[in-house]
Amino acid sequence: MTRQEWINRYVAAMLAGGSELPEWRLRLRAEQDCDATEQTGWADPNDWESPEVVAEEHLESE
């Protein structure tokens, strides 16, 4: 999976889960999460936690 695919899946999961945030804000949040993950040395999105799991965690905190 590419970084963009990860972001798209995250946004889709957040919207499907009922997030009240606008899509642009979700994309920004996903890009920031990707940046932070890449800075820790994890450059391959296939090695990251699935976007659906991350979205579920974020929905629980909304």
Side-chain angles (χ1 to χ4, degrees), residues 7 10-11 15 19-32:
I7 291 170
Y10 170 83
V11 171
L15 293 173
S19 176
E20 296 181 7
L21 295 173
E23 185 175 338
W24 69 267
R25 180 65 183 104
L26 295 172
R27 288 196 177 280
L28 179 61
R29 177 190 263 182
E31 290 188 21
Q32 290 170 338

Side-chain angles (χ1 to χ4, degrees), residues 2-59:
T2 66
R3 175 187 167 113
Q4 192 59 51
E5 289 170 332
W6 193 98
I7 291 170
N8 291 341
R9 285 176 50 186
Y10 170 83
V11 171
M14 288 293 288
L15 293 173
S19 176
E20 296 181 7
L21 295 173
E23 185 175 338
W24 69 267
R25 180 65 183 104
L26 295 172
R27 288 196 177 280
L28 179 61
R29 177 190 263 182
E31 290 188 21
Q32 290 170 338
D33 285 351
C34 288
D35 290 343
T37 301
E38 289 170 340
Q39 288 176 2
T40 66
W42 292 79
D44 185 354
N46 290 309
D47 295 333
W48 300 348
E49 191 169 26
S50 83
E52 292 80 11
V53 169
V54 175
E56 184 177 326
E57 293 170 358
H58 287 176
L59 285 166

